[in-house]
Amino acid sequence: MPVPALAPYDDANIFARILRGEIPCRKVFEDDHALAFHDINPQAPVHVLVIPKGAYVSWADFSANAGDAEIAGFVRAVGQVARELGLEEPGYRLLANAGIHAHQEVPHLHVHIFGGTQMGAMLPR
Ligand code: 5GP
């Protein structure tokens, strides 16, 4: 079920459990601000999720409430992961679903990195 972008943070969400090491993931990157791991149900040859270590529900929550160091660290981590995955050329797509209209399912901010294939133009209608 999609979740509201500004719901209260739920410590039991699946990505919080991955951050606490309660559930395994196929990790590709970790630093002070972010963790990146392969999506369990990939939608492209490369499909990696990057999450901040702080407890933020969505981009709406993060952009309003995270500190500057957290925001800079997270944004840099997304770029570094894409670079380290060798995706800068020929390119990649970032996606962050926020809230019900976007069909956000996990209520911990995550950016999807898609790559490894020629993608279509923008959104299917
Ligand atoms: P959303 O729709 O919230 O933007 O995307 C959530 C993503 O999390 C989906 O692509 C889904 O496949 C992925 N996902 C859900 N549960 C798990 C899990 O336990 N492990 C991993 N690695 N990915 C998950």
Side-chain angles (χ1 to χ4, degrees), residues 14-15 37-41 97 103-106 110 112:
I14 198 91
F15 293 169
F37 49 90
H38 291 279
D39 196 290
I40 205 167
N41 183 24
N97 292 317
H103 219 277
Q104 180 182 358
E105 289 188 348
V106 178
H110 47 285
H112 299 254

Side-chain angles (χ1 to χ4, degrees), residues 32-85:
D32 288 348
H33 295 288
L35 175 70
F37 49 90
H38 291 279
D39 196 290
I40 205 167
N41 183 24
Q43 305 295 312
V46 178
H47 184 177
V48 164
L49 303 170
V50 190
I51 67 175
K53 289 202 166 169
Y56 300 100
V57 172
S58 63
W59 197 272
D61 182 15
F62 187 66
S63 59
N65 298 315
D68 290 352
E70 289 176 286
I71 292 173
F74 181 64
V75 171
R76 287 190 190 282
V78 173
Q80 185 171 344
V81 171
R83 192 159 53 245
E84 290 181 359
L85 290 169

